[in-house]
Amino acid sequence: MVRFGLTVVRHGETRYNKDKILQGQGIDEPLSPTGFRQADAAGLFLSNVKFTHVFSSDLLRAKQTAATIIGKNKFCKGLEIKCDTRLRERKYGVAEGRPLTDLKAMAKAAGQQCPTFTPAGGETLDEVRERARDFFEFLCQLAADVGQIREKKDQEMHGATNRSSGMYEEESVFPWTDHCEFSSDNDGTSKLLLDANILVVSHGAYMRNWVGYFVSDLKCTLPANLTKTQLSSVSPNTGVSHFIIKLENRSVLKPEIICVCLNQDSHLVDVGAECVASKMF
């Protein structure tokens, strides 16, 4: 079995976020001062997590957030951040650069609900989900390849498969560890056994569609206390979600996904009132 951790973080605030103006893909705003404080807070929150891979949308607000998080990390400061266009925000076409109220008005005029409405030149939800599906399958294959390499090294070193010694170990530093499988060192320290531990920095509407794909298509297991409103809401800026993915026999076709936390924002308590989670639609 291959097992990997997936931590997904929304980028920090931009001035367009604050003013409720749609950015999509065509508006490439940097982080605001609040956005950088949020990214710092997320970086400190994740500073003890030993990531093996980092991916970011190629849009500036996501890249700055990813760089800030890795810059705060105790173990990953030299880790390369790989940008991927599949992680871009949903394209909103003619609505980009316009207030969210304009998008709502367009949807109403078309007799549709705002979250599912596609403005002229924009992406449909199915198109966004296809991007998310393609990228996730890429991550599964990456983890499967890493697991195969480690298993081969284990066999060469020990003459027999010993998964525990070959797998990546992450110190138990975050609530997600309550939901995973561990080994214990002689000193009693709990270790989470992972073949890879991946950080992804992306965007609010994209992430909501990605979670929807996990839940509806892949039957992701959700936390027992998660409400429908929380599931349908857009993450706050630098909200953190964490998943454990298991691939039986290294097969990427039927991943088992456990959502450990969704849109975690406890690290934002002292950052400012702007950080309070809100629904976009």
Side-chain angles (χ1 to χ4, degrees):
M1 176 189 289
V2 170
R3 182 187 298 107
F4 69 97
L6 174 61
T7 302
V8 185
V9 181
R10 186 187 176 195
H11 64 81
E13 182 199 81
T14 69
R15 64 188 179 99
Y16 275 59
N17 288 142
K18 184 177 181 180
D19 294 338
K20 293 182 171 54
I21 297 175
L22 289 168
Q23 295 168 101
Q25 298 181 12
I27 307 296
D28 201 13
E29 275 285 299
L31 297 181
S32 66
T34 294
F36 276 111
R37 292 197 300 272
Q38 292 170 332
D40 281 340
L44 289 172
F45 185 58
L46 299 170
S47 62
N48 288 317
V49 181
K50 298 178 183 178
F51 294 109
T52 58
H53 304 79
V54 182
F55 295 93
S56 171
S57 159
D58 65 335
L59 297 175
L60 182 58
R61 55 195 184 273
K63 291 193 294 184
Q64 288 179 327
T65 302
T68 301
I69 291 173
I70 292 303
K72 294 286 184 181
N73 195 282
K74 296 178 180 178
F75 309 105
C76 308
K77 290 184 179 179
L79 196 60
E80 178 186 3
I81 299 172
K82 296 182 179 180
C83 294
D84 197 303
T85 57
R86 289 173 292 185
L87 292 170
R88 285 183 175 183
E89 179 60 292
R90 182 185 181 189
K91 185 178 181 181
Y92 284 99
V94 297
E96 291 183 353
R98 297 173 65 175
L100 176 59
T101 51
D102 284 6
L103 180 64
K104 291 181 177 180
M106 292 179 196
K108 185 176 181 180
Q112 299 180 36
Q113 295 295 317
C114 196
T116 57
F117 172 69
T118 303
E123 282 184 295
T124 66
L125 294 183
D126 286 343
E127 288 172 332
V128 178
R129 184 166 295 197
E130 178 61 22
R131 279 201 285 128
R133 181 197 63 78
D134 188 57
F135 182 76
F136 179 64
E137 290 181 355
F138 158 75
L139 292 185
C140 289
Q141 188 60 59
L142 173 66
D145 291 345
V146 170
Q148 185 175 25
I149 292 170
R150 286 182 172 161
E151 184 174 329
K152 183 178 180 180
K153 287 182 178 179
D154 252 358
Q155 292 173 334
E156 292 173 350
M157 290 177 61
H158 303 287
T161 301
N162 181 351
R163 295 294 289 155
S164 293
S165 65
M167 296 178 78
Y168 172 77
E169 294 182 345
E170 175 197 343
E171 290 190 10
S172 176
V173 294
F174 191 78
W176 63 55
T177 53
D178 292 338
H179 299 254
C180 309
E181 298 178 37
F182 299 91
S183 67
S184 294
D185 288 349
N186 293 332
D187 62 1
T189 302
S190 183
K191 301 289 185 180
L192 171 57
L193 301 181
L194 298 172
D195 288 283
N197 200 15
I198 301 170
L199 172 66
V200 170
V201 180
S202 187
H203 305 265
Y206 177 90
M207 289 167 55
R208 183 169 64 178
N209 276 269
W210 196 358
V211 172
Y213 161 65
F214 276 2
V215 174
S216 63
D217 293 24
L218 300 180
K219 310 305 178 186
C220 172
T221 300
L222 297 169
N225 60 349
L226 192 69
T227 67
K228 289 184 178 180
T229 299
Q230 290 172 317
L231 184 60
S232 64
S233 294
V234 172
S235 170
N237 291 109
T238 70
V240 177
S241 298
H242 186 73
F243 306 86
I244 294 295
I245 295 93
K246 299 178 183 180
L247 307 173
E248 289 287 351
N249 300 317
R250 293 196 296 270
S251 173
V252 302
L253 298 178
K254 292 184 178 180
E256 177 187 343
I257 306 175
I258 300 172
C259 176
V260 180
C261 67
L262 188 68
N263 303 335
Q264 166 80 30
D265 62 357
S266 61
H267 56 287
L268 299 176
V269 171
D270 297 325
V271 175
E274 304 96 327
C275 306
V276 177
S278 61
K279 294 179 66 176
M280 282 188 64
F281 302 111

